Amino acid sequence: MKKTFAFIFFALASVVLGAFIAYLCDGGPAFISWLAWGKTLGINNIAIDLYVISFSFSLNLTFTVSQLITIPAGLIVYAKTCKGL
């Protein structure tokens, strides 16, 4: 159970760290701005109207270069630090 929580923690931490790095690099100098380049995948605005109540759903995932670097790095750190759990 500890390994599962550690894996989830390291995976989420690496995604958040990658997004933060992309945010910092966006609009910066040209030699680091490539870290903020990314694509968005998803579904926009599926609306269901039942006259009394209406629902609207949307799901978007954004991937950046910095996240693609930090996710494997986070998993390597997880493998190195959680051997004894």
Side-chain angles (χ1 to χ4, degrees):
M1 192 69 164
K2 288 181 185 179
K3 278 191 171 187
T4 304
F5 285 128
F7 177 79
I8 292 170
F9 171 76
F10 279 105
L12 290 177
S14 62
V15 168
V16 170
L17 180 64
F20 182 67
I21 292 170
Y23 173 76
L24 291 177
C25 294
D26 191 25
F31 66 93
I32 61 168
S33 65
W34 59 274
L35 289 171
W37 184 82
K39 290 290 182 181
T40 300
L41 302 171
I43 301 169
N44 287 329
N45 297 335
I46 296 175
I48 301 170
D49 189 4
L50 301 175
Y51 188 70
V52 177
I53 191 167
S54 64
F55 298 97
S56 178
F57 298 103
S58 178
L59 176 67
N60 292 316
L61 297 173
T62 302
F63 298 103
T64 62
V65 173
S66 61
Q67 287 176 323
L68 295 176
I69 294 170
T70 58
I71 290 171
L75 296 179
I76 290 170
V77 170
Y78 161 76
K80 298 285 184 184
T81 59
C82 295
K83 286 182 182 177
L85 289 181

